[in-house]
Amino acid sequence: MFQNRREKLVSYMQQQQIDVAILVPGSNMSYFTGLQLKQSERLTLVAITANNQLYFLVPQVELTKVDTECANAIISYSDEEGPTQAIWQFKKELGASQTLGVEFDTMHVKEQKAIEHLTYNNLCDIGESIRELRMKKEHHEIALMRQAVQIAEESLEATLPTIRAGVSEMEVAAQLEYEMRRRGSEGTPFGTIVASGYRGALPHGRASMKKIETGELIVIDFGAIYKGYVADMTRTVALEEISPTLKTIYSIVKQANETAIEAIKPGMTAHDIDAIARGIIHAAGYGDNFTHRLGHGIGLSAHEEPYIMQRNQLVLKPGMAFTVEPGIYVQDVGGVRIEDNLIVTENGYKNLMTYPKELIIL
């Protein structure tokens, strides 16, 4: 699997006359090598050459995670030694290159400084080529995302009975994250959002110590991770009866979500899908209260290509995976967001989520 992915990357590199691609810890390194690490104070680099050779520079503490069978060379260093000597050895293994391809959007300054010790003439961004490769999900990737979705849905179902007046948003988030861990989630891809009442007007209203009150809507936006792959889910629920205004807002968002999803098929653009949902919300008089893009790609990252937003003329193709998450946010009143995870198919779409979208009143 990883070998096939690297072969595709090497094909891009040869077309663009890139001699070596340098990857840093994160989703791209995981995608091409299987090595799952986060960027830290310990320098880690992977080099993929235009003739498909693979070189690792890793701290000793992570050495056992490297697949030795696929590596042409593995250079390690201890905490006491530091990476300086290892960088020079890495340089010797790679030799001189005309052009290096690097991840401009994810590389830290420390990693950039390390790369400056290598021998090359030109530096270019290989990120766009990698993003294009990763946009089309493989069958097994979709299967892992489906499992992450199942974990998220089951965990929400288990958490809802614990929501009552006087419980804090933080307590709800803790319960939800506990339920996901119990079901196999490796963590959360972003800070869990539980935003009740007036705080629901904050699109990124991370869980706080605010107590939930009756008559409020509660926006719950959270994610699960299964074998590296992400599910990103939002549902908005009510604690007992809510006002007619809040019910109207909920119905508008639900219509925008469902109508945009029904339109998904190959050949549509990201702009087209966004415009459908945005048009419904605008026609209802809440256009200024929908303040973010309609969706974003999902996979090994919580946010990746494709971005479903205005003026993005990217044409949808089978295998693309993304969210559809329209929202309305009214200051001092509350907010609603409903989010599903979609896969573009040959003839339309597949919604990985099965959780109901009718308003749940607790």
Side-chain angles (χ1 to χ4, degrees), residues 253 256-257 277 281 290 292 294 324-329 336-338:
V253 173
N257 169 280
I281 293 173
F290 181 18
H292 55 73
L294 181 64
V324 168
E325 49 181 303
I328 293 176
Y329 313 96
V336 175
R337 180 161 67 252
I338 302 172

Side-chain angles (χ1 to χ4, degrees), residues 26-152:
S27 56
N28 289 337
M29 184 179 288
S30 176
Y31 185 80
F32 289 108
T33 71
L35 181 58
Q36 296 185 21
L37 296 175
K38 293 184 177 180
Q39 286 170 301
S40 72
E41 74 280 6
R42 293 184 173 104
L43 179 69
T44 302
L45 299 173
V46 168
I48 301 173
T49 68
N51 59 353
N52 207 358
Q53 292 185 321
L54 188 60
Y55 299 87
F56 291 84
L57 188 159
V58 294
Q60 282 184 354
V61 70
E62 305 291 5
L63 195 54
T64 57
K65 296 180 181 179
V66 179
D67 183 356
T68 57
E69 292 185 5
C70 71
N72 293 87
I74 303 171
I75 300 154
S76 65
Y77 63 92
S78 68
D79 287 344
E80 293 76 19
E81 293 169 336
T84 301
Q85 190 60 39
I87 292 170
W88 286 107
Q89 183 63 31
F90 196 59
K91 172 183 178 178
K92 181 179 178 182
E93 292 286 349
L94 290 177
S97 301
Q98 181 67 28
T99 302
L100 287 186
V102 299
E103 305 173 79
F104 282 174
D105 55 346
T106 57
M107 182 170 286
H108 289 174
V109 173
K110 174 188 287 188
E111 293 153 348
Q112 181 182 351
K113 291 294 184 182
I115 286 172
E116 288 175 358
H117 292 288
L118 305 181
T119 303
Y120 62 91
N121 292 329
N122 303 309
L123 204 62
C124 71
D125 184 10
I126 200 169
E128 183 176 352
S129 297
I130 291 175
R131 289 191 290 272
E132 186 174 340
L133 282 173
R134 285 182 52 190
M135 262 196 286
K136 182 176 181 179
K137 299 299 186 285
E138 300 161 357
H139 292 301
H140 89 278
E141 290 182 282
I142 295 172
L144 294 177
M145 293 166 65
R146 191 187 303 275
Q147 184 63 37
V149 165
Q150 183 177 339
I151 290 170

Side-chain angles (χ1 to χ4, degrees), residues 7 24 27 121 147 170 177-178 183 196 284 303 306 356:
E7 287 174 359
V24 299
S27 56
N121 292 329
Q147 184 63 37
M170 199 74 78
E177 291 174 12
Y178 166 71
R183 290 166 172 79
S196 60
H303 286 190

Side-chain angles (χ1 to χ4, degrees), residues 284-357:
Y286 287 97
D288 292 340
N289 303 100
F290 181 18
T291 54
H292 55 73
R293 63 196 172 207
L294 181 64
H296 56 80
I298 49 173
L300 284 168
S301 301
H303 286 190
E304 59 182 51
E305 296 280 0
Y307 292 102
I308 311 303
M309 62 184 183
Q310 297 178 89
R311 295 190 290 277
N312 184 0
Q313 299 302 328
L314 178 73
V315 176
L316 302 184
K317 297 179 181 179
M320 289 183 176
F322 53 84
T323 68
V324 168
E325 49 181 303
I328 293 176
Y329 313 96
V330 183
Q331 187 174 356
D332 300 324
V333 174
V336 175
R337 180 161 67 252
I338 302 172
E339 177 183 22
D340 289 347
N341 295 179
L342 290 307
I343 306 291
V344 182
T345 65
E346 294 292 338
N347 301 311
Y349 70 92
K350 175 65 178 177
N351 193 338
L352 296 182
M353 294 187 163
T354 61
Y355 207 84
K357 283 182 269 194

